Amino acid sequence: MNFFMEIAMLRAARFLWHDLLKPFNPKNPKSSMLRTHVQTSGWSLTEQDPYNNIIRTTLEALAAALGGTQSLHTNSFDEAVGLPTDFSARIARNTQILIQEESQICHVIDPLGGSYYIEALTNGIIQEARKIINEVEELGGMAKAIETGMPKMRVEESAARKQARIDQGLDVIVGVNKYKIDEATPMDVLEVSEQVRDEQISMLKKLKAERDEAKTQNALAGVTEAAEKGGNLLAASIEAIRARATVGEVSDAMEKVFGRFVATTQCISGIYASEYSDQAVIAAIRKRTDTFMEKEGRRPRILLTKMGQDGHDRGIKVVATAFADLGFDVDISPMFQTPEEAAKMAVENDVHLVGASSLAAGHKALVPQLVKSLKAAGGEDILVIVGGVIPPGDYDFLYKAGAVGVFGPGTAITESANKVLNALESRKAA
Amino acid sequence: MLMGEKEPQFYVDGVRSGNRRILAKTITLIESAHPAHRQLAHTVVDELLPLTGKAVRLGITGVPGVGKSTFIESFGMMLVEKGLKVAVLAVDPSSTRSGGSVMADKTRMERLSVAPQAFIRPSPSGGTLGGVARMTRETLLVCEAAGFDVVIVETVGVGQSETTVASMVDFFLVLMLAGAGDELQGIKKGVLELADAVAINKADGDNVEKAEKARRSYAMALHLLNPASPTWSPPVLTCSALTTNGVDQLWETVNDHRRRLSATGELDQKRRHQAVAWMWSRIEDGLKERFFSNPAIRSQLKGVRAAVERGEQSPTAGAEKLLFLLDNAR
């Protein structure tokens, strides 16, 4: 976290927005005013010593308020391990209310304006942001830039650097790489039962049975037509939703014309290792992967996969690039895989192990299925590890289900790489 | 370790019966740098050889960004929908100094990668001498023996690999983009000489006209080259992996090529020549490998290199000295 930087970013964004709108000669002065919604960072939340997250979120929310945001979402302190409980959600909401109603912070407009430090930071961001904006313009605008994969690549590059700094303790994360505590903090974690899924399915069935089907299909045809002819998609979508179409059906109606977007997956390389200043650590792991190569005739090969409805792929991409830097051959699967699909890929590519990344609480259902599917596809010799947002109480379950390693939030990648190599080596002995 | 993994019969029987797991393990065996695996791999490939020769061997190249993976996704799906079994061998350039690599091809082949009739195997290229496609030919043969109807070999069109790939397939397709300015940018002109067809990809949306223009100028350029076969002059087509326009027609072209060259016997001849050429290239690889793994050379290489670098020894004398060590090996 960089408290003053967050404030300066919002101030810079406001300045740039006003500036960028000028050429359009906005008639309504409100058009030139940037209105923002801010969500505190989910990434900064830690599994270790989790009540610290309340303090983190408070600081982040405070930065947003001092930066002048119009709307705010504060994360719950337990989101590194699961979905929020009623208690953690209340604390999160109260964080906002305290800032808004008790602290009187919101009574002043731009309270830090004129501070030398804040103004200098703001100015710096404006200059640097303009360079990136120009770069995007040169690529032909943001849509074209996304096609080239440029923005995603920058994010991943910065994430890999950050991870290397945290893994070495250069960036302090309290309770993770400094001021660590030995005992785990007991905490309630929300369990989402399978029942929710069944309930949702039966609700969908009921909805589809009771709606005026002709009207729905008509409205969906309207969406497809708007997509074809370049009409107003939003208006057509609202029409369809009013006719009780589901979000899935509306996007299917558009897919008929647009096709499905597939993100350009380019993986950066060398960033993690070069940012890691203690090269001895890197060299030691590379030596292990080299030794493995000499013994086995190939490098340790790992498939990193995201199963289920879980679109959080920043973490897995960081792990991918870091593992490659450490001498692994890394396969990445498409997103939203079923366990059967992941197993098929693992078997075809003949990997030594599969790393399943889970950030949407699907691990208890998906990991056992993956182990089963691997076996069914003849890949019973392929090891399984799990990483991501895993509540401490689930570790045993996952080990029993057949995982040989579980890596929760805050695991240094150098540590998980060593543990993976340990598992591979003991497998051979067995 | 599974039972019998040290026996050639385990692999031969598995591949012959179309077992995906054992096919995958056979490819691993072929790609292995371990000397013991090598010997086993040769035996396995030799035993499978009588079962090969029935598939359409197709090579695809193009510069990064031309949309190879996306093209293979639509092309492969079209074949699968026709009831054909498709194997895709993708060679990934691993670039890191660590020797490790990231293989993300399948993220762009969302549908094909999960299709039961398709088998996609990306291979890391790093670490071993001879690089990229060293073992791809053997892998291709094994896929044929496993009963695949079409085997596609994908390679990045920068570097040496495309010549190697062209020399192991029946049909070599070069993908291009309608670019601004110099139409022959990025790809080496030599690659066009290898092409059995050129396809201008991404001919969709407002790019259709540009693609058509590019098609004409490539057709002109190819016209100036001497075709490798008297029965086939490489056509230039347009296609869109996104809308799948023109993808069907490309398959037609591949079949047409096959029909014509089979009729004249050129296809058989081509394959026979390829096998001999392959032997020569393996000899070159083998020589290099023997050179670099020779203990006497390994111990002197650094010193001689440094001496040449410092100008204390001429490059010729340095080379002679090291080669002399190879002559006297054993």
Side-chain angles (χ1 to χ4, degrees), chain A residues 187-257:
Chain A
M187 188 173 62
D188 289 333
V189 179
L190 185 75
E191 282 271 342
V192 181
S193 70
E194 281 282 298
Q195 204 193 331
V196 175
R197 181 170 170 273
D198 299 335
E199 277 171 16
Q200 188 65 21
I201 290 172
S202 70
M203 270 165 64
L204 269 174
K205 277 192 182 142
K206 187 162 173 267
L207 176 98
K208 286 185 183 174
E210 287 176 3
R211 70 189 179 190
D212 180 349
E213 193 60 31
K215 199 174 151 201
T216 313
Q217 293 307 332
N218 203 18
L220 284 171
V223 174
T224 307
E225 196 188 322
E228 258 166 17
K229 296 185 176 155
N232 188 339
L233 279 175
L234 195 59
S237 301
I238 292 171
E239 197 64 36
I241 301 276
R242 287 216 169 105
R244 291 281 174 236
T246 66
V247 175
E249 288 171 324
V250 173
S251 52
D252 283 348
M254 292 184 200
E255 192 184 345
K256 281 182 196 158
V257 179

Side-chain angles (χ1 to χ4, degrees), chain B residues 12-326:
Chain B
V12 174
D13 291 346
V15 169
R16 194 178 284 161
S17 66
N19 181 318
R20 292 291 177 93
R21 179 65 184 138
I22 299 178
L23 171 62
K25 282 192 171 286
T26 309
I27 297 174
T28 302
L29 183 76
I30 289 169
E31 288 174 349
S32 175
H34 200 289
H37 294 164
R38 290 277 178 85
Q39 208 45 53
L40 189 54
H42 294 328
T43 316
V44 171
V45 173
D46 275 353
E47 291 227 4
L48 289 171
L49 218 48
L51 298 173
T52 64
K54 290 185 282 286
V56 177
R57 304 171 183 173
L58 185 62
I60 295 180
T61 194
V63 291
V66 77
K68 280 184 298 295
S69 302
T70 320
F71 174 81
I72 292 172
E73 162 93 346
S74 342
F75 190 75
M77 281 312 292
M78 176 211 46
L79 296 177
V80 162
E81 277 156 20
K82 288 184 196 297
L84 296 168
K85 285 170 73 184
V86 184
V88 179
L89 309 175
V91 183
D92 253 279
S94 38
S95 51
T96 60
R97 258 167 297 161
S98 67
S101 59
V102 177
M103 290 161 283
D105 293 74
K106 290 199 195 180
T107 60
R108 290 181 290 273
M109 302 183 197
E110 278 188 324
R111 291 194 302 145
L112 191 64
S113 68
V114 302
Q117 279 166 285
F119 178 93
I120 308 176
R121 175 67 176 245
S123 294
S125 67
T128 44
L129 271 174
V132 195
R134 194 174 59 96
M135 292 310 175
T136 311
R137 188 183 154 90
E138 266 87 352
T139 308
L140 183 150
L141 293 174
V142 168
C143 288
E144 274 191 7
F148 285 93
D149 302 302
V150 183
V151 184
I152 298 172
V153 183
E154 175 196 2
T155 172
V156 182
V158 284
Q160 303 300 315
S161 57
E162 60 276 354
T163 316
T164 318
V165 170
S167 70
M168 67 177 80
V169 295
D170 306 330
F171 192 96
F172 193 60
L173 173 66
V174 179
L175 289 180
M176 291 290 208
L177 283 183
D182 177 15
E183 295 291 357
L184 294 175
Q185 64 192 322
I187 198 132
K188 286 175 299 177
K189 294 202 167 89
V191 174
L192 280 185
E193 290 178 23
L194 300 169
D196 293 301
V198 173
I200 316 294
N201 195 18
K202 301 192 184 175
D204 41 53
D206 41 8
N207 213 17
V208 173
E209 249 172 70
K210 264 197 281 179
E212 179 53 31
K213 226 173 117 192
R215 191 194 65 75
R216 282 197 298 267
S217 72
Y218 276 114
M220 294 270 285
L222 277 183
H223 198 68
L224 300 174
L225 297 171
N226 260 338
S229 153
T231 29
W232 185 259
S233 18
V236 185
L237 306 107
T238 60
C239 69
S240 161
L242 191 72
T243 63
T244 72
N245 278 340
V247 173
D248 249 318
Q249 204 192 338
L250 258 169
W251 177 234
E252 245 336 287
T253 307
V254 173
N255 281 326
D256 191 27
H257 174 265
R258 195 174 175 77
R259 271 193 301 272
R260 289 205 212 173
L261 270 73
S262 298
T264 60
E266 279 170 273
L267 190 66
D268 266 353
Q269 199 184 17
K270 186 175 184 176
R271 285 184 168 186
R272 281 200 300 271
H273 284 169
Q274 283 178 343
V276 175
W278 189 252
M279 183 185 77
W280 283 116
S281 93
R282 290 316 315 272
I283 289 175
E284 273 175 42
D285 288 349
L287 284 175
K288 267 193 206 166
E289 215 169 288
R290 277 173 180 67
F291 179 85
F292 285 108
S293 61
N294 181 296
I297 293 174
R298 275 172 91 154
S299 70
Q300 299 239 7
L301 188 60
K302 239 185 177 167
V304 174
R305 214 194 93 176
V308 171
E309 207 165 44
R310 282 194 303 267
E312 288 163 15
Q313 190 161 36
S314 79
T316 312
E320 289 293 342
K321 185 175 173 186
L322 291 170
L323 287 168
F324 178 77
L325 291 172
L326 189 64

Side-chain angles (χ1 to χ4, degrees), chain A residues 47-66:
Chain A
E47 176 199 23
Q48 295 87 345
D49 213 357
Y51 292 108
N52 287 342
N53 293 330
I54 301 177
I55 309 162
R56 287 193 180 98
T57 298
T58 307
L59 280 167
E60 289 166 5
L62 185 61
L66 293 175

